[in-house]
Amino acid sequence: MTTRRPLRYCGATAALSVALLLSSCTGSAPFKGKAGAGGVGDPLFPALGNGGYQVTHYGLALDYDVKKRHLDATARITAEATQNLTSFTLDLQGLKVSGVQVGGEDATFSRKGHKLRVTPATGLRKGATFRTTVTYNGTPQEVTDPDESSEGWVKTPDGAFVSGEPEGSMAWFPGNNHPGDKATYDFTITVPEGYTAVANGELRSRKTAKGRTTFVWHNGQPMASYLATAGIGRFRFTVDRMPDGLPLYEAVDPAEEADSEEALSRLPEIIKWERGLFGPYPFRSAGAIVDNTPERVDWEALESQTKPIYAGAPDTVTVVHEMSHQWFGDSVTPKTWQDAWLNEGFATYTEWLWEQREGGKTPQQQFDALYKKGAKDPLWEFPPGKPGKPENVTADPVYYRGAMVLQQLRDAVGDKTFFKILKEWPAKYRYGNADAADFIAFCQERTDKDLTDLFDVWLYGKGKPDRTF
């Protein structure tokens, strides 16, 4: 055992720095680190996400003035360093940052594009857990997707709601904005009295004081940042329960209430049916946010975790689609945006199964109708496993040809194995991330039939496949 000498006995000269003196006395190696990368190399969105750390929890405190459309906010981000870090970045678009602390000490910061570069007072060692506190304010804005649709903080006549896929979460809180980094969340949202604030997870408390109401929501299962949401408005807000006690939270704009009633009344039935197909519901609550959105919002819904957002009154099939995402996309999340078909292909196939249940076409009939489309139809523009461009993430091949891949898989392995896959896949990767390679290997393990050609042709092959399996 080496005996450590008292500091006063070290043979230091005045020319030595304090850091070198401490290093020579304690025997510890000098800190060597580097800046965390401003991106994680996503094939379609290379500027999203950040390297060098993994977030474990977000604590978001939001105070929103509806009339002025002004947000005062604090984000407390708990993360683990995955390398020695001299600095790291967070994704945040717009909004003014007034201060950053790391580990309770002031940190220096700078802005470039949607990157907030943070330099702690001392370096962060690999494996260390650290908390970053960012104080910020301003008028949060919408984000225009590569496909020219609107997301981010979307203003409505009586408030706002958030759509995060694929980039929008950085419009309202700083974070590691990539589906490969999942974390738990707490939301404390303060709004004028008479308004309701809804977020992911379960409502912990609601208190009104001095004309303002604070809602506290807790989302305790891991969630990708694009699935985080907040809705603010004069909603009709209800809390109900499934027969087994699962809470159901519904926030519906009064203008959409009548047209939403039929579809939302079937939510318990849909959850029960999807449990039968996909296994236990993965979260501790379910529900819906139905808003009255501006005309410029040209999408129907987003599968925000526990509470899908509907841009207007949904029909039943849309609710079926978004709720299936709670298993496929929310609980099991793609490692990168290239495998968005693992979300949308499964959700579209769930629509097909529901339509058959309701007396409509079978999935095979749906497949056959699509396969009749000519070779120049947009359905065959690119393979679902290789979208190629960011604007293709929401294009037809991801949804419909993604579902066709699953029908081909069903034909190849048979119904018994196929429906086992539908249940065992979300069980194996519950709360995690997976990609197409994981799915292909998972399926191959469950059948003696070689699936290589099937996936090469239907998932990755260019143009209209000339054969089925």
Side-chain angles (χ1 to χ4, degrees):
M1 184 175 73
T2 301
T3 302
R4 182 180 297 168
R5 293 180 179 181
L7 184 61
R8 62 180 180 272
Y9 292 137
C10 290
T13 67
L16 288 176
S17 68
V18 174
L20 180 60
L21 176 61
L22 290 175
S23 174
S24 65
C25 291
T26 62
S28 62
F31 179 81
K32 293 182 179 180
K34 61 180 181 179
V40 294
D42 188 281
L44 300 181
F45 295 89
L48 289 184
N50 305 283
Y53 65 93
Q54 189 84 12
V55 179
T56 57
H57 183 73
Y58 291 92
L60 304 178
L62 312 170
D63 192 320
Y64 190 60
D65 187 318
V66 174
K67 288 185 178 181
K68 295 181 180 179
R69 295 183 172 178
H70 182 85
L71 178 69
D72 289 296
T74 301
R76 295 177 175 86
I77 305 164
T78 304
E80 179 180 335
T82 57
Q83 66 181 61
N84 284 357
L85 286 171
T86 55
S87 67
F88 59 92
T89 56
L90 297 163
D91 296 303
L92 181 65
Q93 181 163 309
L95 302 170
K96 179 183 178 181
V97 176
S98 57
V100 180
Q101 291 189 328
V102 178
E105 295 185 75
D106 288 340
T108 58
F109 61 91
S110 60
R111 306 287 299 274
K112 185 177 181 180
H114 69 261
K115 295 296 181 181
L116 170 65
R117 171 70 61 179
V118 177
T119 304
T122 56
L124 302 169
R125 291 193 178 275
K126 181 179 179 179
T129 297
F130 62 99
R131 172 178 280 188
T132 303
T133 302
V134 181
T135 305
Y136 59 103
N137 64 81
T139 300
Q141 300 294 323
E142 296 177 22
V143 175
T144 301
D145 283 345
D147 65 3
E148 298 186 354
S149 61
S150 295
E151 59 163 326
W153 190 275
V154 180
K155 301 173 185 66
T156 62
D158 65 346
F161 73 92
V162 173
S163 168
E165 185 177 358
E167 302 176 277
S169 69
M170 63 187 182
W172 63 294
F173 69 92
N176 199 9
N177 189 19
H178 190 267
D181 192 342
K182 302 174 74 170
T184 58
Y185 284 72
D186 284 293
F187 306 86
T188 301
I189 309 175
T190 301
V191 294
E193 185 176 0
Y195 288 80
T196 299
V198 193
N200 310 88
E202 297 74 58
L203 182 62
R204 288 290 179 85
S205 65
R206 173 174 48 186
K207 296 180 181 178
T208 299
K210 297 181 180 179
R212 297 185 69 75
T213 304
T214 298
F215 295 79
V216 178
W217 294 88
H218 173 70
N219 187 87
Q221 287 79 45
M223 178 169 68
S225 59
Y226 81 93
L227 298 168
T229 194
I232 298 168
R234 295 187 180 274
F235 297 116
R236 176 190 61 82
F237 179 64
T238 60
V239 184
D240 204 348
R241 289 185 180 273
M242 296 269 288
D244 65 355
L246 182 75
L248 300 176
Y249 299 96
E250 294 179 6
V252 182
D253 188 284
E256 305 293 336
E257 187 172 357
D259 291 338
S260 300
E261 184 175 357
E262 180 179 354
L264 294 184
S265 70
R266 302 191 72 178
L267 182 58
E269 176 190 358
I270 291 167
I271 293 172
K272 181 179 179 181
W273 176 73
E274 292 184 343
R275 279 171 167 168
L277 287 171
F278 312 137
Y281 181 74
F283 305 117
R284 294 174 185 162
S285 65
I289 303 171
V290 182
D291 216 327
N292 182 20
T293 59
E295 292 183 0
R296 64 183 177 279
V297 175
D298 58 359
W299 47 266
E300 293 183 356
L302 174 70
E303 64 272 17
S304 302
Q305 192 159 305
T306 71
K307 297 178 189 66
I309 297 173
Y310 301 96
D315 59 25
T316 302
V317 173
T318 302
V319 176
V320 168
H321 180 109
E322 301 307 328
M323 290 308 300
S324 72
H325 276 309
Q326 303 305 306
W327 286 264
F328 304 105
D330 295 14
S331 178
V332 184
T333 305
K335 290 179 181 177
T336 73
W337 284 112
Q338 180 162 288
D339 282 318
W341 77 274
L342 285 171
N343 297 10
E344 303 303 346
F346 275 95
T348 302
Y349 198 85
T350 305
E351 289 185 36
W352 294 359
L353 292 171
W354 177 265
E355 290 190 23
Q356 180 182 22
R357 177 184 186 269
E358 297 290 284
K361 293 179 181 179
T362 67
Q364 185 63 57
Q365 289 171 330
Q366 301 272 12
F367 176 95
D368 291 342
L370 289 170
Y371 193 59
K372 290 178 181 178
K373 291 180 178 289
K376 294 184 178 180
D377 190 273
L379 179 64
W380 317 114
E381 185 176 349
F382 62 87
K386 290 185 178 180
K389 298 183 291 186
E391 56 265 35
N392 288 342
V393 168
T394 55
D396 282 356
V398 171
Y399 288 71
Y400 297 105
R401 190 168 160 184
M404 295 175 83
V405 171
L406 297 178
Q407 181 60 33
Q408 287 293 277
L409 177 65
R410 181 178 178 178
D411 289 343
V413 303
D415 279 8
K416 183 177 179 180
T417 298
F418 178 75
F419 285 100
K420 283 181 64 178
I421 288 170
L422 289 189
K423 191 169 287 187
E424 292 176 357
W425 168 253
K428 179 173 181 178
Y429 289 95
R430 188 179 178 95
Y431 307 139
N433 294 84
D435 60 16
D438 295 320
F439 183 69
I440 293 169
F442 181 89
C443 295
Q444 190 63 75
E445 289 170 359
R446 284 154 178 77
T447 182
D448 293 331
K449 184 166 184 177
D450 188 349
L451 301 175
T452 303
D453 285 350
L454 187 156
F455 286 108
D456 283 350
V457 171
W458 276 93
L459 185 59
Y460 294 118
K462 295 181 179 179
K464 180 179 179 178
D466 58 6
R467 58 194 172 114
T468 58
F469 292 83

